[in-house]
Amino acid sequence: MKYAKGITISITALLSLLFITTSWADEKLAVDKVEGPLSVMILGSGGPIATSIGRASAGYLIFVEGEPRILMDVGGGTYQRLAKSGVNIRNLDIVLLSHLHIDHTADLSAVIKTLYFHNNLAGTARTAPIHIYGPAANGATFPGSDVTQYPATTVYSDGQYAMPNGVERYLNIFAKAISGGRSSFSYVAHDLNSMVSGATVEEVLRSDDGLVIEAIAVDHGPVPAVAYRVSYKGYSIVYSGDTKSTGPNMVAIAQDADLLIYDTAITDTLPPNPVFHALHTSPTRMGEVAGDAEVKKLVLSHITPVTETRLDQVKDLVRVNFDGKIKAAKDLKVFNLGDDHD
């Protein structure tokens, strides 16, 4: 009886495991929704505040011909979203940082480390460098001090990974250790212009297969910041990062874009603290930019507690000046360019 009961329990456990495994297999992963020449997966649609809604901080993964090539920002929680997406990033080439606030950079090292694990799991080796792009320093100092508030992206990256003093310098031996010496950790950091005044759209990269990345400095108060445009086979994705959107720079880089992902942290009047309005874009200004640039689809992202419950109000204010499609971002949502059903 005891033996038979034991067998029954084992079979029940096995059936439960089989059911769970089947359920996971039947669930469509975010990666399975990627198709076409150029796509973006939202890894994080939230801001810097942890809330029960559960949005990860800013992060976007761009696919070229179905392959993950570019990571735009990598805030807290994006590592978990990446894991849940089912994407293998062993061939990821490029990291684009809009600025060096924690809610845009916090998971960078975790994602870089998993890149080498993904190679290990796939039985491949990685020796190509990871290219990390971001703003140069702009010289803004702490009030009453000559200490600059933000480093250049090269200084930031070296502080994380460079030998002999980088905080995460162990990655230089880790990559070799887990691969039996076949992989090696390597990165190249690049500083982009962060001076907003007089800035023009600059080409960051043009690959042999036709992928083009462009950037322009944008106004985020004292914070060095850039917006990005990724183009491929006639399609384009623009990402504002965090910006107040003063001047012509956002319109210049977003001109005729298929998809514009925009900072949606505030309303026209909320929060009452003026600091936030000096750093982020109001819905009315967002609509002006999207309308003047004649973008096809606007994605509201970097959603905060201020805008989370007011997205309909935000959309109404945007529509005063923009008559294109408007979507609110969700973590793990995939936008395939050329797909009009999003």
Side-chain angles (χ1 to χ4, degrees):
M1 181 70 70
K2 184 175 181 181
Y3 179 77
K5 184 177 180 181
I7 292 293
T8 302
I9 291 172
S10 297
I11 291 173
T12 301
L14 183 61
L15 289 174
S16 297
L17 180 61
L18 180 61
F19 174 76
I20 292 170
T21 304
T22 302
S23 298
W24 285 345
D26 290 342
E27 182 180 350
K28 192 170 186 179
L29 297 170
V31 69
D32 298 326
K33 301 174 185 177
V34 174
E35 60 183 33
L38 189 65
S39 307
V40 59
M41 179 186 293
I42 311 293
L43 296 182
S45 57
I49 306 171
T51 72
S52 60
I53 296 295
R55 295 181 187 272
S57 291
Y60 309 89
L61 187 60
I62 292 183
F63 296 76
V64 177
E65 302 293 358
E67 292 296 319
R69 292 280 304 277
I70 302 166
L71 183 60
M72 296 192 303
D73 282 346
V74 55
T78 53
Y79 173 85
Q80 189 273 346
R81 294 293 189 264
L82 176 66
K84 191 173 183 180
S85 74
V87 177
N88 185 304
I89 59 167
R90 65 184 183 273
N91 293 322
L92 185 73
D93 294 294
I94 299 159
V95 177
L96 305 178
L97 299 178
S98 65
H99 62 293
L100 300 182
H101 276 163
I102 292 170
D103 53 314
H104 295 256
T105 63
D107 279 6
L108 178 59
S109 292
V111 170
I112 285 177
K113 186 171 183 177
T114 212
L115 182 155
Y116 291 94
F117 273 121
H118 279 184
N119 272 277
N120 191 44
L121 291 171
T124 55
R126 170 71 184 238
T127 57
I130 302 161
H131 288 270
I132 303 171
Y133 294 88
N138 64 3
T141 60
F142 287 99
S145 168
D146 59 359
V147 177
T148 55
Q149 295 184 36
Y150 298 90
T153 298
T154 51
V155 175
Y156 174 85
S157 300
D158 289 347
Q160 296 292 318
Y161 310 120
M163 293 289 287
N165 297 318
V167 175
E168 309 291 356
R169 57 188 177 271
Y170 81 93
L171 289 174
N172 288 275
I173 190 63
F174 161 81
K176 292 181 181 296
I178 68 163
S179 66
R182 295 182 302 120
S183 291
S184 58
F185 174 73
S186 178
Y187 74 95
V188 180
H190 309 261
D191 291 336
L192 305 175
N193 173 53
S194 64
M195 305 304 290
V196 177
S197 179
T200 57
V201 177
E202 62 176 318
E203 187 170 296
V204 173
L205 176 147
R206 181 180 294 269
S207 67
D208 292 339
D209 61 1
L211 174 68
V212 178
I213 300 173
E214 297 168 293
I216 197 168
V218 292
D219 178 13
H220 191 32
V223 188
V226 294
Y228 290 102
R229 182 184 184 109
V230 178
S231 304
Y232 181 73
K233 287 190 174 179
Y235 295 105
S236 56
I237 297 166
V238 174
Y239 172 46
S240 72
D242 289 4
T243 177
K244 186 180 179 180
S245 301
T246 55
N249 293 11
M250 274 306 305
V251 174
I253 198 164
Q255 196 66 50
D256 299 318
D258 293 281
L259 192 71
L260 171 58
I261 304 170
Y262 225 119
D263 171 16
T264 314
I266 61 173
T267 72
D268 279 14
T269 58
L270 296 174
N273 188 330
V275 170
F276 294 98
H277 295 270
L279 298 175
H280 298 284
T281 304
S282 70
T284 294
R285 177 57 180 156
M286 195 189 313
E288 291 172 352
V289 171
D292 290 349
E294 299 183 327
V295 304
K296 295 181 178 64
K297 186 179 294 183
L298 176 67
V299 176
L300 309 179
S301 197
H302 201 261
I303 295 167
T304 68
V306 172
T307 52
E308 185 74 61
T309 60
R310 299 178 176 88
L311 287 173
D312 287 341
Q313 175 189 335
V314 170
K315 289 178 182 178
D316 288 343
L317 290 168
V318 169
R319 287 192 179 104
V320 172
N321 297 291
F322 176 64
D323 59 5
K325 295 180 180 179
I326 306 174
K327 296 290 182 179
K330 296 179 181 178
D331 291 9
L332 294 183
K333 170 70 176 175
V334 174
F335 291 93
N336 296 308
L337 297 198
D339 180 0
D340 293 330
H341 302 293
D342 284 333

